[in-house]
Amino acid sequence: VLLACHASGSMSKAPPQPLTVRALLESDELAGDMTRNIMAFGGDADQEHVHQRVVAGLGEIRDAIQEQQPEAHNKMGLLTLSPTQKEAAMRVLKKYSDSRMLGLTQKVVAAVRETAEEGGDQAVLARKLSERLTPSLSDMRQLHKEMFPGSDEEFKLDLSSVPALKNWNRDLKVDLGRRLSADNGDVRAQAHTLFQ
């Protein structure tokens, strides 16, 4: 009887469990996408090593939230994501490995590195960023459309909102390239993007 019911499709399946924010943070899918992003940036060539670091980094994030903000941690286990919300969040995250995004990242890293090496100030950094990024405005606009389809907001290059410009310290040697390296800083950066 069970075999006949199964073959006819009349056996009911348990409905899929709703996806919570915490379940997404702990998911293999998220760890896999973050690993691919890091590999695309040219970090560690050992994918299994990178994946292990990503899983460890996501675990550290979860544990830090649980320890420092237990109420938020509990809410993450209750707040469910619709399939549309999940897809939107993952679409943004997947753009980290897009060749255009990687090119923009390299331009920003080069501008920051040059400014630090020259002992430049906020104005120098803003000029260097503007010089490097302005030719890529069409790519940035297209990425914005792809990341946020249907958004009424138009992309604007607003250098005044760049944290490195607000808190620039010429004695600080900033290496933004590490944000997409095999360190756990890259995992935090990607998680921050995902959960903004």
Side-chain angles (χ1 to χ4, degrees):
V1 172
L2 285 176
L3 185 57
C5 288
H6 179 71
S8 69
S10 64
M11 287 185 68
S12 64
K13 295 181 182 178
Q17 293 294 319
L19 179 69
T20 65
V21 172
R22 188 168 56 210
L24 180 60
L25 179 65
E26 297 170 349
S27 72
D28 290 335
E29 180 181 7
L30 179 64
D33 283 352
M34 287 183 166
T35 299
R36 281 185 286 285
N37 289 344
I38 294 166
M39 298 297 294
F41 193 75
D44 192 329
D46 181 354
Q47 185 169 357
E48 184 57 35
H49 178 255
V50 172
H51 184 74
Q52 290 172 358
R53 297 286 301 265
V54 167
V55 170
L58 289 170
E60 289 173 14
I61 291 168
R62 181 203 56 232
D63 294 347
I65 294 170
Q66 185 175 15
E67 182 180 311
Q68 297 166 12
Q69 300 175 357
E71 189 174 310
H73 183 264
N74 289 337
K75 285 181 183 177
M76 287 173 52
L78 299 173
L79 185 62
T80 60
L81 297 171
S82 71
T84 302
Q85 290 170 317
K86 176 192 171 200
E87 191 275 327
M90 298 302 285
R91 179 180 52 246
V92 170
L93 185 66
K94 287 177 183 184
K95 287 300 176 182
Y96 267 67
S97 59
D98 184 286
S99 61
R100 296 165 296 175
M101 184 72 81
L102 294 171
L104 291 168
T105 301
Q106 290 169 348
K107 289 177 182 186
V108 170
V109 168
V112 170
R113 187 174 290 130
E114 280 179 21
T115 304
E117 288 170 357
E118 295 170 6
D121 59 9
Q122 289 175 324
V124 172
L125 179 57
R127 181 180 51 77
K128 288 186 180 291
L129 286 170
S130 180
E131 289 170 356
R132 290 181 183 269
L133 295 177
T134 299
S136 301
L137 274 174
S138 63
D139 281 344
M140 289 187 275
R141 285 189 181 108
Q142 185 59 36
L143 279 166
H144 182 266
K145 285 180 185 176
E146 292 169 16
M147 291 167 76
F148 308 105
S151 171
D152 293 336
E153 274 187 47
E154 187 171 319
F155 175 79
K156 293 179 182 123
L157 181 58
D158 179 10
L159 293 176
S160 66
S161 68
V162 176
L165 287 176
K166 291 180 183 175
N167 304 314
W168 180 253
N169 177 348
R170 67 177 164 201
D171 297 326
L172 179 65
K173 302 297 184 220
V174 179
D175 183 5
L176 294 178
R178 289 175 50 99
R179 291 176 67 99
L180 287 175
S181 70
D183 284 346
N184 285 346
D186 63 318
V187 176
R188 285 189 297 274
Q190 291 186 69
H192 178 75
T193 299
L194 186 68
F195 293 111
Q196 274 184 329

